[in-house]
Amino acid sequence: REWKLKWGEGGLNNAWIALRQDEQRNPGNLCHTVLRTSVKHPEEDSKMLAVRIYSLTGQEMSAEAFRKQLSRARRRFGDLIVKEVSRTLSSATEETIDEELQSLDLLKYVRVQND
């Protein structure tokens, strides 16, 4: 049980790293910054979070643009989690990936991201 908890945390950490690297490689991509900011400040609305993004990056962003970036970031984060889990499976089918995600308590991140 503890091993699964550690592996799940490692999978999340690797997805965060990959999301940050995506952002660094692609100018204009703020997926990591937007998602991290929303996670750190869940009580704030899109307008306030957009102001935070401006203070962090110098890029102006409307509340609507923030929400769109956040939606993209969540989908990308979910995709990265699936990729991380699937690379560890000998037979990576949709069913085995879903089972592994569920056993690692990561399915909630993927489903929320892609619904």
Side-chain angles (χ1 to χ4, degrees), residues 74-75 107-115:
R74 287 176 173 157
R75 278 193 307 278
L107 192 58
K108 60 188 173 195
Y109 299 104
V110 175
R111 288 275 161 80
V112 167
Q113 313 325 329
N114 294 320
D115 284 346

Side-chain angles (χ1 to χ4, degrees), residues 4-51:
K4 285 205 178 264
L5 179 64
K6 293 290 183 194
W7 163 221
E9 289 172 1
L12 277 177
N13 187 46
N14 289 342
W16 279 113
I17 291 168
L19 193 64
R20 184 178 62 233
Q21 290 171 341
D22 276 356
E23 183 174 307
Q24 291 168 343
R25 283 190 300 267
N26 299 293
N29 172 344
L30 295 176
C31 286
H32 181 269
T33 303
V34 165
L35 189 56
R36 270 289 185 205
T37 301
S38 79
V39 168
K40 286 182 180 180
H41 305 282
E43 71 288 348
E44 293 182 1
D45 65 11
S46 299
K47 185 176 180 181
M48 189 61 209
L49 291 167
V51 170

